[in-house]
Amino acid sequence: MKLTARERIETLLDRGTFVEMDKHVVHRCNDFGMENKRVEGDGVISGYGKIDGRIVFVYAFDFAVLGGSLSAANAQKIAKVQDLALKNGAPIIGLNDSGGARIQEGVESLTGFAHIFRRNVMASGVIPQISAILGPCAGGSCYSPALTDFILMVKEQSQMFVTGPNVVKAVTNEDVDKETLGGAMTHNSVSGVSHFICNSDEETLMTIRELIGFIPSNNMEDAPVHPVTDEVNRICHELDNVVPSDPNIPYDIRNIIEPVCDQQYFFEIQPEFAKNIVIGFGRMAGRTVGFVANQPNFLAGALDIDASDKAARFIRFCDCFNIPLIAVEDVPGFLPGVQQEHNGIIRHGAKIVYAFAEATVPKITLITRKAYGGAYIVMNSKCIGADVNFAYPTAEIAVMGAEGACNILYRKATPEERAQKIEEYREKFAKLGYIDEIISPCDTRLRLIQALEMSRNKNQSNPPKKHGNMPL
Ligand code: HXC
Protein backbone atom coordinates (compact mmCIF):
# COMPACT_ATOMS: atom_id res chain seq x y z
CA MET A 1 0.00 0.00 0.00
CA LYS A 2 1.23 3.51 -0.82
CA LEU A 3 2.16 5.72 2.12
CA THR A 4 1.35 9.43 2.10
CA ALA A 5 4.19 11.85 1.39
CA ARG A 6 4.44 12.76 5.08
CA GLU A 7 4.40 9.12 6.20
CA ARG A 8 7.19 8.41 3.73
CA ILE A 9 9.40 11.12 5.22
CA GLU A 10 8.65 9.96 8.75
CA THR A 11 9.48 6.34 7.84
CA LEU A 12 12.71 7.38 6.15
CA LEU A 13 14.13 9.56 8.91
CA ASP A 14 15.13 8.85 12.50
CA ARG A 15 12.01 9.25 14.61
CA GLY A 16 11.12 12.84 15.44
CA THR A 17 14.01 14.42 13.54
CA PHE A 18 12.13 15.92 10.58
CA VAL A 19 12.21 19.71 10.37
CA GLU A 20 9.81 20.99 7.72
CA MET A 21 10.49 24.10 5.66
CA ASP A 22 8.20 26.24 3.49
CA LYS A 23 5.12 24.61 4.93
CA HIS A 24 2.80 27.48 3.95
CA VAL A 25 3.97 28.09 0.38
CA VAL A 26 1.18 28.05 -2.23
CA HIS A 27 1.27 28.15 -6.02
CA ARG A 28 0.78 31.46 -7.80
CA CYS A 29 -1.19 30.34 -10.84
CA ASN A 30 -4.56 31.97 -11.52
CA ASP A 31 -5.33 30.36 -14.89
CA PHE A 32 -7.56 27.39 -15.75
CA GLY A 33 -9.39 27.54 -12.41
CA MET A 34 -6.18 27.12 -10.45
CA GLU A 35 -7.08 30.09 -8.20
CA ASN A 36 -9.50 27.67 -6.48
CA LYS A 37 -6.96 24.88 -6.09
CA ARG A 38 -4.46 26.26 -3.64
CA VAL A 39 -3.18 23.90 -0.94
CA GLU A 40 -0.71 24.85 1.79
CA GLY A 41 2.69 23.42 0.86
CA ASP A 42 1.49 22.92 -2.75
CA GLY A 43 2.10 19.21 -2.98
CA VAL A 44 5.77 19.05 -1.98
CA ILE A 45 6.96 18.49 1.58
CA SER A 46 10.57 19.53 2.11
CA GLY A 47 13.08 19.95 4.89
CA TYR A 48 15.79 18.05 6.71
CA GLY A 49 16.25 15.38 9.34
CA LYS A 50 18.59 12.56 10.29
CA ILE A 51 19.42 9.03 9.24
CA ASP A 52 21.38 7.16 11.91
CA GLY A 53 22.14 10.52 13.47
CA ARG A 54 23.52 12.07 10.25
CA ILE A 55 21.85 15.08 8.60
CA VAL A 56 20.09 14.53 5.26
CA PHE A 57 17.87 16.83 3.24
CA VAL A 58 14.64 15.47 1.83
CA TYR A 59 11.68 16.40 -0.34
CA ALA A 60 8.59 14.36 -1.14
CA PHE A 61 5.97 14.90 -3.84
CA ASP A 62 2.36 14.44 -2.77
CA PHE A 63 0.50 12.74 -5.64
CA ALA A 64 -2.79 13.67 -3.97
CA VAL A 65 -2.19 17.32 -4.87
CA LEU A 66 -2.70 17.68 -8.63
CA GLY A 67 -0.89 14.44 -9.39
CA GLY A 68 2.27 15.61 -7.64
CA SER A 69 2.82 17.93 -10.60
CA LEU A 70 5.65 20.42 -10.33
CA SER A 71 4.65 24.06 -9.98
CA ALA A 72 7.07 26.97 -9.96
CA ALA A 73 6.48 27.24 -6.20
CA ASN A 74 7.26 23.54 -5.68
CA ALA A 75 10.42 23.93 -7.71
CA GLN A 76 11.54 26.82 -5.50
CA LYS A 77 11.00 24.69 -2.41
CA ILE A 78 13.05 21.85 -3.86
CA ALA A 79 15.81 24.18 -5.07
CA LYS A 80 16.02 25.64 -1.56
CA VAL A 81 16.78 22.27 0.05
CA GLN A 82 19.14 21.39 -2.80
CA ASP A 83 21.10 24.58 -2.10
CA LEU A 84 21.16 23.88 1.62
CA ALA A 85 22.27 20.28 1.11
CA LEU A 86 25.13 21.38 -1.13
CA LYS A 87 26.23 24.24 1.13
CA ASN A 88 26.13 22.03 4.22
CA GLY A 89 27.62 18.91 2.68
CA ALA A 90 24.72 16.54 3.35
CA PRO A 91 23.03 13.95 1.12
CA ILE A 92 19.72 14.83 -0.51
CA ILE A 93 16.90 12.35 -1.00
CA GLY A 94 13.97 12.94 -3.36
CA LEU A 95 10.78 10.90 -2.89
CA ASN A 96 9.16 11.19 -6.31
CA ASP A 97 5.53 10.55 -7.19
CA SER A 98 4.77 13.12 -9.84
CA GLY A 99 3.09 13.67 -13.19
CA GLY A 100 5.85 16.08 -14.24
CA ALA A 101 5.54 19.75 -15.11
CA ARG A 102 2.20 21.23 -13.94
CA ILE A 103 0.42 21.62 -17.22
CA GLN A 104 -1.67 24.63 -16.11
CA GLU A 105 1.50 26.64 -15.41
CA GLY A 106 3.16 25.92 -18.74
CA VAL A 107 6.64 27.36 -19.12
CA GLU A 108 6.72 28.52 -15.49
CA SER A 109 6.73 24.92 -14.30
CA LEU A 110 9.11 23.78 -17.04
CA THR A 111 11.55 26.44 -15.86
CA GLY A 112 11.18 25.01 -12.38
CA PHE A 113 12.67 21.77 -13.65
CA ALA A 114 15.59 23.66 -15.15
CA HIS A 115 16.36 25.12 -11.71
CA ILE A 116 16.29 21.62 -10.18
CA PHE A 117 18.35 19.99 -12.95
CA ARG A 118 21.09 22.61 -12.75
CA ARG A 119 21.38 22.04 -9.00
CA ASN A 120 21.43 18.25 -9.52
CA VAL A 121 24.39 18.69 -11.83
CA MET A 122 26.25 21.12 -9.57
CA ALA A 123 25.77 18.76 -6.62
CA SER A 124 26.94 15.72 -8.60
CA GLY A 125 30.12 14.35 -7.07
CA VAL A 126 29.88 16.73 -4.10
CA ILE A 127 26.99 15.25 -2.11
CA PRO A 128 25.21 11.93 -2.65
CA GLN A 129 21.83 12.34 -4.35
CA ILE A 130 19.26 9.56 -4.07
CA SER A 131 15.88 9.28 -5.81
CA ALA A 132 13.03 7.01 -4.84
CA ILE A 133 10.31 6.59 -7.45
CA LEU A 134 7.19 5.76 -5.49
CA GLY A 135 4.46 6.24 -8.08
CA PRO A 136 4.04 7.22 -11.70
CA CYS A 137 6.74 9.70 -12.74
CA ALA A 138 6.49 11.36 -16.10
CA GLY A 139 8.40 13.96 -18.10
CA GLY A 140 10.67 16.17 -16.06
CA SER A 141 10.07 14.03 -12.99
CA CYS A 142 12.25 11.37 -14.60
CA TYR A 143 15.14 13.61 -15.57
CA SER A 144 15.95 14.93 -12.13
CA PRO A 145 16.24 11.36 -10.75
CA ALA A 146 18.30 10.42 -13.81
CA LEU A 147 20.84 13.08 -12.82
CA THR A 148 21.20 11.64 -9.31
CA ASP A 149 23.40 8.79 -8.10
CA PHE A 150 20.89 6.06 -7.25
CA ILE A 151 17.30 5.36 -8.23
CA LEU A 152 14.99 3.00 -6.33
CA MET A 153 11.63 1.80 -7.66
CA VAL A 154 8.70 -0.17 -6.25
CA LYS A 155 7.42 -3.28 -8.03
CA GLU A 156 4.05 -2.74 -9.71
CA GLN A 157 3.67 0.68 -8.11
CA SER A 158 6.13 3.02 -9.71
CA GLN A 159 6.82 3.89 -13.32
CA MET A 160 9.16 6.25 -15.13
CA PHE A 161 8.63 7.43 -18.69
CA VAL A 162 9.34 10.56 -20.64
CA THR A 163 5.98 10.12 -22.40
CA GLY A 164 3.21 7.78 -21.22
CA PRO A 165 1.41 4.98 -23.10
CA ASN A 166 -1.14 7.34 -24.73
CA VAL A 167 1.51 9.53 -26.32
CA VAL A 168 3.48 6.45 -27.38
CA LYS A 169 0.36 5.09 -29.08
CA ALA A 170 -0.30 8.39 -30.84
CA VAL A 171 3.26 8.82 -32.09
CA THR A 172 4.52 5.32 -32.83
CA ASN A 173 1.26 3.33 -32.80
CA GLU A 174 2.73 0.95 -30.23
CA ASP A 175 0.37 -0.55 -27.68
CA VAL A 176 2.07 -0.72 -24.33
CA ASP A 177 0.88 -0.56 -20.74
CA LYS A 178 2.48 1.65 -18.06
CA GLU A 179 4.24 -1.22 -16.31
CA THR A 180 5.83 -2.65 -19.46
CA LEU A 181 6.81 0.78 -20.72
CA GLY A 182 8.45 2.05 -17.55
CA GLY A 183 7.73 -0.15 -14.54
CA ALA A 184 10.25 -1.13 -11.89
CA MET A 185 11.17 -4.41 -13.58
CA THR A 186 11.68 -2.71 -16.93
CA HIS A 187 14.03 -0.10 -15.51
CA ASN A 188 15.88 -2.52 -13.24
CA SER A 189 16.47 -5.28 -15.77
CA VAL A 190 16.16 -3.82 -19.27
CA SER A 191 17.02 -0.12 -19.38
CA GLY A 192 19.37 0.04 -16.39
CA VAL A 193 17.83 3.37 -15.35
CA SER A 194 17.06 2.11 -11.84
CA HIS A 195 19.41 0.55 -9.28
CA PHE A 196 17.07 -1.09 -6.77
CA ILE A 197 13.73 -2.83 -7.05
CA CYS A 198 11.73 -3.03 -3.82
CA ASN A 199 8.40 -4.54 -2.82
CA SER A 200 6.90 -1.60 -0.95
CA ASP A 201 7.35 1.99 0.16
CA GLU A 202 8.71 0.78 3.50
CA GLU A 203 11.30 -1.53 1.90
CA THR A 204 12.41 1.29 -0.41
CA LEU A 205 12.86 3.73 2.45
CA MET A 206 14.78 1.15 4.53
CA THR A 207 17.02 0.47 1.54
CA ILE A 208 17.80 4.19 1.32
CA ARG A 209 18.72 4.21 5.01
CA GLU A 210 21.04 1.26 4.45
CA LEU A 211 22.60 2.85 1.37
CA ILE A 212 23.26 6.09 3.28
CA GLY A 213 25.09 3.99 5.91
CA PHE A 214 27.66 2.92 3.31
CA ILE A 215 28.49 6.35 1.93
CA PRO A 216 29.96 9.62 3.19
CA SER A 217 27.88 12.78 3.52
CA ASN A 218 30.01 14.62 0.98
CA ASN A 219 33.14 14.33 -1.14
CA MET A 220 35.40 15.79 1.57
CA GLU A 221 34.59 13.02 4.04
CA ASP A 222 35.18 9.31 4.30
CA ALA A 223 32.30 6.88 4.61
CA PRO A 224 31.23 6.18 8.20
CA VAL A 225 33.49 3.65 9.92
CA HIS A 226 31.69 0.84 11.69
CA PRO A 227 33.03 -1.00 14.74
CA VAL A 228 35.03 -4.04 13.62
CA THR A 229 33.04 -7.03 14.82
CA ASP A 230 34.44 -9.58 12.39
CA GLU A 231 38.01 -10.92 12.68
CA VAL A 232 40.29 -9.08 10.29
CA ASN A 233 42.44 -12.16 9.70
CA ARG A 234 39.53 -14.57 9.43
CA ILE A 235 40.64 -17.44 7.21
CA CYS A 236 37.98 -18.13 4.57
CA HIS A 237 38.37 -21.86 3.93
CA GLU A 238 35.20 -21.86 1.87
CA LEU A 239 37.04 -19.84 -0.79
CA ASP A 240 39.44 -22.69 -1.51
CA ASN A 241 36.77 -24.54 -3.45
CA VAL A 242 34.86 -21.80 -5.25
CA VAL A 243 36.85 -21.41 -8.48
CA PRO A 244 36.66 -24.49 -10.70
CA SER A 245 40.02 -25.32 -12.26
CA ASP A 246 38.30 -26.02 -15.58
CA PRO A 247 38.06 -22.55 -17.16
CA ASN A 248 34.84 -23.54 -18.88
CA ILE A 249 32.87 -24.23 -15.72
CA PRO A 250 30.96 -21.22 -14.39
CA TYR A 251 30.57 -20.20 -10.74
CA ASP A 252 28.97 -17.34 -8.84
CA ILE A 253 31.47 -14.54 -8.19
CA ARG A 254 29.37 -13.48 -5.20
CA ASN A 255 30.68 -16.63 -3.51
CA ILE A 256 34.08 -14.92 -3.53
CA ILE A 257 32.86 -11.47 -2.49
CA GLU A 258 30.50 -12.39 0.34
CA PRO A 259 32.93 -14.42 2.51
CA VAL A 260 35.55 -11.65 2.49
CA CYS A 261 33.17 -8.91 3.64
CA ASP A 262 32.58 -8.12 7.31
CA GLN A 263 29.77 -10.36 8.54
CA GLN A 264 29.88 -11.88 5.04
CA TYR A 265 27.43 -9.18 3.98
CA PHE A 266 27.49 -7.75 0.47
CA PHE A 267 25.03 -4.99 -0.50
CA GLU A 268 24.51 -5.54 -4.20
CA ILE A 269 23.46 -2.72 -6.53
CA GLN A 270 21.61 -3.24 -9.83
CA PRO A 271 21.46 -7.03 -9.40
CA GLU A 272 18.94 -7.44 -12.23
CA PHE A 273 20.79 -5.45 -14.90
CA ALA A 274 23.85 -6.59 -16.88
CA LYS A 275 24.26 -9.66 -14.70
CA ASN A 276 27.67 -10.34 -16.24
CA ILE A 277 29.09 -7.73 -13.89
CA VAL A 278 28.39 -7.47 -10.17
CA ILE A 279 28.67 -4.17 -8.29
CA GLY A 280 27.97 -3.17 -4.73
CA PHE A 281 29.27 -2.23 -1.32
CA GLY A 282 30.70 -4.26 1.49
CA ARG A 283 32.65 -3.39 4.60
CA MET A 284 36.13 -4.61 5.33
CA ALA A 285 37.50 -3.99 8.83
CA GLY A 286 34.56 -1.62 9.30
CA ARG A 287 35.22 0.52 6.24
CA THR A 288 33.17 0.71 3.05
CA VAL A 289 34.62 -0.73 -0.15
CA GLY A 290 33.10 -0.85 -3.62
CA PHE A 291 33.29 -4.18 -5.46
CA VAL A 292 33.28 -4.47 -9.26
CA ALA A 293 33.33 -8.11 -10.29
CA ASN A 294 32.96 -10.11 -13.47
CA GLN A 295 30.27 -12.77 -13.11
CA PRO A 296 31.30 -16.06 -14.79
CA ASN A 297 27.74 -17.31 -14.21
CA PHE A 298 26.33 -14.98 -16.87
CA LEU A 299 27.72 -14.64 -20.42
CA ALA A 300 30.88 -16.21 -18.96
CA GLY A 301 31.55 -12.81 -17.38
CA ALA A 302 32.30 -11.20 -20.77
CA LEU A 303 32.10 -7.41 -20.85
CA ASP A 304 29.32 -6.03 -23.02
CA ILE A 305 27.78 -2.59 -23.46
CA ASP A 306 25.45 -2.73 -20.47
CA ALA A 307 28.10 -4.20 -18.17
CA SER A 308 30.50 -1.44 -19.19
CA ASP A 309 27.97 1.30 -18.45
CA LYS A 310 26.98 -0.27 -15.15
CA ALA A 311 30.55 -0.70 -13.94
CA ALA A 312 31.85 2.66 -15.12
CA ARG A 313 29.13 4.63 -13.37
CA PHE A 314 29.67 2.76 -10.11
CA ILE A 315 33.46 3.18 -10.28
CA ARG A 316 32.97 6.92 -10.74
CA PHE A 317 30.56 7.09 -7.80
CA CYS A 318 33.12 5.39 -5.56
CA ASP A 319 35.87 7.67 -6.79
CA CYS A 320 33.76 10.80 -6.18
CA PHE A 321 33.09 9.73 -2.63
CA ASN A 322 36.44 8.34 -1.46
CA ILE A 323 35.38 4.71 -1.46
CA PRO A 324 38.23 2.26 -2.26
CA LEU A 325 37.61 -0.10 -5.16
CA ILE A 326 38.18 -3.83 -5.36
CA ALA A 327 37.97 -5.40 -8.82
CA VAL A 328 37.37 -9.15 -8.78
CA GLU A 329 38.31 -10.45 -12.17
CA ASP A 330 37.40 -13.50 -14.18
CA VAL A 331 36.84 -12.24 -17.68
CA PRO A 332 37.29 -13.94 -21.04
CA GLY A 333 37.17 -10.64 -22.96
CA PHE A 334 34.74 -8.23 -24.52
CA LEU A 335 31.59 -9.85 -25.91
CA PRO A 336 31.93 -10.35 -29.67
CA GLY A 337 29.04 -9.75 -32.06
CA VAL A 338 27.60 -7.49 -34.72
CA GLN A 339 24.95 -6.14 -32.36
CA GLN A 340 27.61 -5.22 -29.78
CA GLU A 341 29.89 -3.60 -32.34
CA HIS A 342 27.10 -1.67 -34.03
CA ASN A 343 25.72 -0.41 -30.76
CA GLY A 344 29.12 0.89 -29.78
CA ILE A 345 30.95 -1.57 -27.53
CA ILE A 346 34.08 0.41 -28.39
CA ARG A 347 32.61 3.65 -27.06
CA HIS A 348 30.93 1.97 -24.07
CA GLY A 349 33.78 -0.37 -23.19
CA ALA A 350 36.07 2.68 -23.16
CA LYS A 351 34.08 3.96 -20.19
CA ILE A 352 35.47 1.27 -17.89
CA VAL A 353 39.03 2.08 -18.94
CA TYR A 354 38.34 5.74 -18.40
CA ALA A 355 36.70 5.24 -15.02
CA PHE A 356 39.35 2.93 -13.57
CA ALA A 357 42.25 4.97 -14.96
CA GLU A 358 40.82 8.24 -13.70
CA ALA A 359 39.95 6.96 -10.21
CA THR A 360 42.38 8.12 -7.54
CA VAL A 361 40.94 6.13 -4.63
CA PRO A 362 42.81 2.98 -3.51
CA LYS A 363 42.36 0.38 -6.25
CA ILE A 364 42.94 -3.32 -5.71
CA THR A 365 42.47 -6.18 -8.14
CA LEU A 366 41.99 -9.85 -7.42
CA ILE A 367 42.27 -12.14 -10.43
CA THR A 368 40.51 -15.39 -9.66
CA ARG A 369 40.80 -17.10 -13.02
CA LYS A 370 40.66 -15.67 -16.53
CA ALA A 371 42.16 -12.30 -17.27
CA TYR A 372 42.28 -12.29 -21.01
CA GLY A 373 42.92 -9.72 -23.65
CA GLY A 374 41.68 -6.14 -23.55
CA ALA A 375 39.28 -7.00 -20.79
CA TYR A 376 42.25 -7.89 -18.54
CA ILE A 377 43.78 -4.48 -19.15
CA VAL A 378 40.61 -2.52 -18.51
CA MET A 379 39.60 -4.38 -15.34
CA ASN A 380 41.90 -2.34 -13.13
CA SER A 381 45.19 -3.82 -14.32
CA LYS A 382 48.48 -2.67 -12.83
CA CYS A 383 49.30 -0.27 -15.67
CA ILE A 384 45.80 1.23 -15.68
CA GLY A 385 46.70 2.30 -12.16
CA ALA A 386 45.82 -0.43 -9.69
CA ASP A 387 47.73 -0.15 -6.42
CA VAL A 388 47.84 -3.86 -5.66
CA ASN A 389 47.10 -6.83 -7.90
CA PHE A 390 46.53 -10.26 -6.38
CA ALA A 391 45.96 -13.49 -8.24
CA TYR A 392 44.80 -16.93 -7.22
CA PRO A 393 46.92 -19.90 -8.30
CA THR A 394 44.12 -20.61 -10.80
CA ALA A 395 44.63 -17.24 -12.52
CA GLU A 396 45.57 -17.00 -16.18
CA ILE A 397 46.67 -13.63 -17.46
CA ALA A 398 47.21 -13.51 -21.15
CA VAL A 399 46.15 -12.20 -24.49
CA MET A 400 44.10 -15.36 -24.46
CA GLY A 401 43.85 -18.56 -22.40
CA ALA A 402 47.17 -20.42 -21.91
CA GLU A 403 45.77 -23.41 -23.69
CA GLY A 404 44.48 -21.41 -26.63
CA ALA A 405 47.79 -19.58 -26.87
CA CYS A 406 49.92 -22.76 -26.77
CA ASN A 407 47.67 -24.52 -29.22
CA ILE A 408 48.61 -21.78 -31.68
CA LEU A 409 52.26 -21.37 -30.74
CA TYR A 410 53.05 -25.07 -30.30
CA ARG A 411 50.71 -26.62 -32.78
CA LYS A 412 53.19 -29.26 -33.85
CA ALA A 413 54.49 -30.18 -30.37
CA THR A 414 53.61 -33.43 -28.61
CA PRO A 415 50.80 -33.24 -26.05
CA GLU A 416 53.38 -33.55 -23.23
CA GLU A 417 55.49 -30.72 -24.60
CA ARG A 418 52.42 -28.60 -25.10
CA ALA A 419 51.23 -29.26 -21.54
CA GLN A 420 54.59 -28.05 -20.27
CA LYS A 421 54.44 -24.94 -22.44
CA ILE A 422 50.94 -24.22 -21.13
CA GLU A 423 52.34 -24.28 -17.57
CA GLU A 424 55.24 -22.02 -18.61
CA TYR A 425 52.85 -19.62 -20.31
CA ARG A 426 50.77 -19.43 -17.12
CA GLU A 427 53.79 -18.84 -14.88
CA LYS A 428 55.58 -16.34 -17.08
CA PHE A 429 53.40 -13.39 -16.33
CA ALA A 430 53.68 -13.75 -12.55
CA LYS A 431 57.41 -13.06 -13.03
CA LEU A 432 56.84 -9.79 -14.88
CA GLY A 433 55.45 -7.99 -11.85
CA TYR A 434 52.02 -7.41 -13.26
CA ILE A 435 50.84 -9.39 -10.27
CA ASP A 436 52.12 -8.42 -6.84
CA GLU A 437 51.36 -11.67 -5.13
CA ILE A 438 49.80 -15.03 -5.79
CA ILE A 439 47.60 -15.70 -2.77
CA SER A 440 45.74 -18.68 -1.40
CA PRO A 441 42.01 -18.13 -1.71
CA CYS A 442 41.51 -18.72 2.02
CA ASP A 443 43.75 -15.68 2.78
CA THR A 444 41.77 -13.31 0.55
CA ARG A 445 40.10 -11.32 3.33
CA LEU A 446 43.32 -10.69 5.21
CA ARG A 447 45.28 -9.80 2.07
CA LEU A 448 42.63 -7.38 0.85
CA ILE A 449 42.40 -5.70 4.24
CA GLN A 450 46.20 -5.37 4.38
CA ALA A 451 46.20 -3.76 0.93
CA LEU A 452 43.38 -1.41 1.94
CA GLU A 453 45.26 -0.41 5.10
CA MET A 454 48.46 0.13 3.15
CA SER A 455 46.70 2.46 0.69
CA ARG A 456 44.40 4.25 3.12
CA ASN A 457 46.32 7.52 2.97
CA LYS A 458 46.85 7.35 -0.77
CA ASN A 459 47.22 10.84 -2.11
CA GLN A 460 47.09 10.99 -5.85
CA SER A 461 45.66 13.60 -8.15
CA ASN A 462 45.21 13.77 -11.90
CA PRO A 463 46.50 16.70 -13.99
CA PRO A 464 44.46 19.88 -13.40
CA LYS A 465 41.71 20.33 -15.98
CA LYS A 466 38.21 21.73 -16.24
CA HIS A 467 36.95 18.18 -16.73
CA GLY A 468 37.88 15.24 -18.88
CA ASN A 469 35.96 14.23 -21.98
CA MET A 470 34.72 10.81 -21.01
CA PRO A 471 33.36 8.67 -23.85
CA LEU A 472 29.58 8.67 -23.40
C1 HXC B 1 -1.32 18.89 -13.80
C2 HXC B 1 -1.70 16.67 -13.46
C3 HXC B 1 -0.48 16.34 -14.12
C4 HXC B 1 0.30 17.40 -14.63
C5 HXC B 1 -1.42 14.52 -13.47
N1 HXC B 1 -2.23 15.51 -13.09
N2 HXC B 1 -0.35 15.00 -14.11
N3 HXC B 1 -2.10 17.95 -13.31
N4 HXC B 1 -0.15 18.65 -14.45
N5 HXC B 1 1.46 17.17 -15.23
C6 HXC B 1 -3.50 15.39 -12.37
C7 HXC B 1 -4.55 14.70 -13.20
O1 HXC B 1 -5.21 15.63 -14.03
C8 HXC B 1 -5.49 14.17 -12.13
O2 HXC B 1 -6.26 15.21 -11.66
C9 HXC B 1 -4.51 13.79 -11.01
O3 HXC B 1 -3.31 14.54 -11.27
C10 HXC B 1 -4.18 12.33 -10.99
O4 HXC B 1 -3.78 11.93 -12.30
P1 HXC B 1 -4.36 10.64 -13.03
O5 HXC B 1 -4.09 10.78 -14.47
O6 HXC B 1 -5.78 10.44 -12.61
O7 HXC B 1 -3.47 9.49 -12.39
P2 HXC B 1 -2.89 8.16 -13.07
O8 HXC B 1 -3.96 7.48 -13.85
O9 HXC B 1 -2.24 7.41 -11.96
O10 HXC B 1 -1.79 8.63 -14.11
C11 HXC B 1 -0.65 9.28 -13.69
C12 HXC B 1 0.15 9.87 -14.89
C13 HXC B 1 -0.83 10.73 -15.74
C14 HXC B 1 0.69 8.70 -15.71
C15 HXC B 1 1.30 10.65 -14.30
O11 HXC B 1 -1.55 11.62 -14.86
C16 HXC B 1 -0.11 11.52 -16.77
O12 HXC B 1 0.21 11.00 -17.82
N6 HXC B 1 0.07 12.83 -16.51
C17 HXC B 1 0.63 13.74 -17.46
C18 HXC B 1 2.07 13.46 -17.63
C19 HXC B 1 2.74 14.51 -18.46
O13 HXC B 1 2.60 14.52 -19.67
N7 HXC B 1 3.34 15.52 -17.78
C20 HXC B 1 3.90 16.67 -18.37
C21 HXC B 1 5.26 16.34 -18.66
S1 HXC B 1 6.12 17.61 -19.44
P3 HXC B 1 -7.77 15.01 -11.15
O14 HXC B 1 -8.22 16.39 -10.84
O15 HXC B 1 -8.49 14.37 -12.29
O16 HXC B 1 -7.66 14.11 -9.96
C22 HXC B 1 7.45 17.74 -18.53
C23 HXC B 1 8.53 18.43 -19.25
C24 HXC B 1 9.83 18.37 -18.56
O17 HXC B 1 7.52 17.32 -17.44
C25 HXC B 1 10.91 18.25 -19.55
C26 HXC B 1 12.24 18.18 -18.92
C27 HXC B 1 13.33 17.75 -19.85
Side-chain angles (χ1 to χ4, degrees):
M1 209 188 65
K2 276 175 94 166
L3 299 176
T4 65
R6 196 167 295 280
E7 285 168 344
R8 285 170 176 166
I9 290 181
E10 273 158 16
T11 309
L12 173 70
L13 300 177
D14 295 349
R15 187 184 290 260
T17 60
F18 182 52
V19 180
E20 188 171 352
M21 304 174 80
D22 288 337
K23 199 174 179 170
H24 303 294
V25 165
V26 289
H27 73 74
R28 300 180 287 274
C29 179
N30 293 313
D31 303 316
F32 310 108
M34 288 296 284
E35 59 277 18
N36 304 319
K37 292 187 180 167
R38 283 194 233 282
V39 179
E40 288 227 327
D42 196 22
V44 166
I45 303 175
S46 60
Y48 58 93
K50 291 183 180 173
I51 290 183
D52 292 331
R54 296 160 68 207
I55 289 286
V56 296
F57 287 81
V58 62
Y59 58 89
F61 284 89
D62 186 350
F63 195 79
V65 181
L66 295 156
S69 54
L70 187 92
S71 64
N74 279 335
Q76 272 174 358
K77 288 178 66 166
I78 294 171
K80 187 187 276 187
V81 282
Q82 287 183 296
D83 287 342
L84 281 169
L86 185 58
K87 200 157 48 178
N88 294 292
I92 185 158
I93 300 159
L95 306 179
N96 300 276
D97 195 348
S98 162
R102 185 168 294 168
I103 295 162
Q104 295 89 335
E105 291 194 18
V107 176
E108 283 276 298
S109 58
L110 275 183
T111 309
F113 272 125
H115 285 293
I116 295 171
F117 295 167
R118 182 163 57 82
R119 284 167 174 80
N120 284 138
V121 174
M122 291 304 120
S124 179
V126 185
I127 51 169
Q129 303 181 83
I130 297 170
S131 304
I133 311 294
L134 300 168
C137 285
S141 296
C142 296
Y143 277 109
S144 172
L147 293 166
T148 64
D149 298 302
F150 296 107
I151 295 181
L152 302 90
M153 294 183 77
V154 186
K155 220 179 263 177
E156 288 158 27
Q157 175 180 311
S158 56
Q159 297 94 29
M160 297 175 80
F161 31 71
V162 174
T163 55
N166 295 343
V167 179
V168 170
K169 174 74 182 163
V171 176
T172 67
N173 204 26
E174 289 166 297
D175 284 305
V176 64
D177 59 80
K178 278 201 293 195
E179 200 57 29
T180 313
L181 183 63
M185 212 49 216
T186 298
H187 285 309
N188 276 274
S189 62
V190 181
S191 72
V193 166
S194 176
H195 302 84
F196 297 93
I197 182 163
C198 303
N199 291 306
S200 63
D201 280 18
E202 285 87 351
E203 191 184 319
T204 309
L205 300 165
M206 290 308 117
T207 306
I208 295 176
R209 287 180 63 90
E210 185 170 12
L211 177 58
I212 288 281
F214 277 103
I215 59 184
S217 294
N218 59 64
N219 65 338
M220 305 300 282
E221 287 183 9
D222 287 334
V225 181
H226 281 232
V228 185
T229 49
D230 192 357
E231 247 181 277
V232 165
N233 54 2
R234 176 166 50 78
I235 301 295
C236 306
H237 289 293
E238 63 271 45
L239 290 182
D240 286 331
N241 299 315
V242 175
V243 184
S245 48
D246 180 343
N248 298 318
I249 297 182
Y251 62 97
D252 190 340
I253 202 70
R254 287 173 295 204
N255 292 336
I256 305 274
I257 301 172
E258 279 162 11
V260 301
C261 292
D262 290 356
Q263 268 73 45
Q264 316 211 14
Y265 182 63
F266 174 55
F267 181 70
E268 190 171 350
I269 296 167
Q270 275 189 319
E272 303 295 335
F273 179 66
K275 292 182 179 179
N276 37 338
I277 203 141
V278 171
I279 58 171
F281 296 123
R283 289 193 185 88
M284 299 198 77
R287 292 171 186 269
T288 303
V289 289
F291 287 93
V292 180
N294 309 115
Q295 173 58 286
N297 250 354
F298 196 85
L299 288 177
L303 290 173
D304 65 354
I305 289 170
D306 286 347
S308 304
D309 285 358
K310 174 177 166 182
R313 186 152 169 78
F314 181 68
I315 295 162
R316 296 192 103 213
F317 177 85
C318 291
D319 190 43
C320 288
F321 292 106
N322 314 316
I323 296 172
L325 284 160
I326 297 179
V328 187
E329 182 173 350
D330 188 343
V331 63
F334 281 100
L335 185 70
V338 175
Q339 184 260 348
Q340 286 288 309
E341 295 289 349
H342 285 189
N343 286 304
I345 183 64
I346 297 173
R347 168 166 70 85
H348 293 280
K351 293 176 194 176
I352 303 197
V353 189
Y354 197 103
F356 267 130
E358 170 192 56
T360 55
V361 289
K363 294 184 286 191
I364 297 161
T365 301
L366 169 67
I367 301 173
T368 59
R369 198 169 56 175
K370 296 172 216 165
Y372 296 167
Y376 152 61
I377 294 297
V378 310
M379 278 297 292
N380 203 29
S381 62
K382 210 59 191 172
C383 300
I384 279 285
D387 297 293
V388 182
N389 271 22
F390 294 121
Y392 282 174
T394 39
E396 288 181 28
I397 305 157
V399 286
M400 58 178 72
E403 246 165 80
C406 292
N407 285 344
I408 297 171
L409 295 177
Y410 301 100
R411 210 176 26 217
K412 293 180 187 144
T414 63
E416 294 74 33
E417 282 167 344
R418 203 179 305 131
Q420 194 199 333
K421 290 292 174 193
I422 289 170
E423 260 331 285
E424 265 178 46
Y425 196 90
R426 277 201 184 110
E427 303 238 316
K428 171 155 179 62
F429 298 98
K431 296 189 184 122
L432 292 178
Y434 295 135
I435 295 299
D436 297 299
E437 201 186 342
I438 296 176
I439 61 170
S440 296
C442 63
D443 295 331
T444 309
R445 175 171 159 86
L446 175 62
R447 287 286 186 267
L448 289 176
I449 291 176
Q450 285 172 327
L452 289 165
E453 275 177 353
M454 178 276 284
S455 53
R456 184 170 304 151
N457 296 328
K458 180 178 176 186
N459 186 1
Q460 185 191 332
S461 48
N462 295 329
K465 54 181 131 177
K466 189 172 169 190
H467 57 72
N469 188 13
M470 186 185 194
L472 294 172

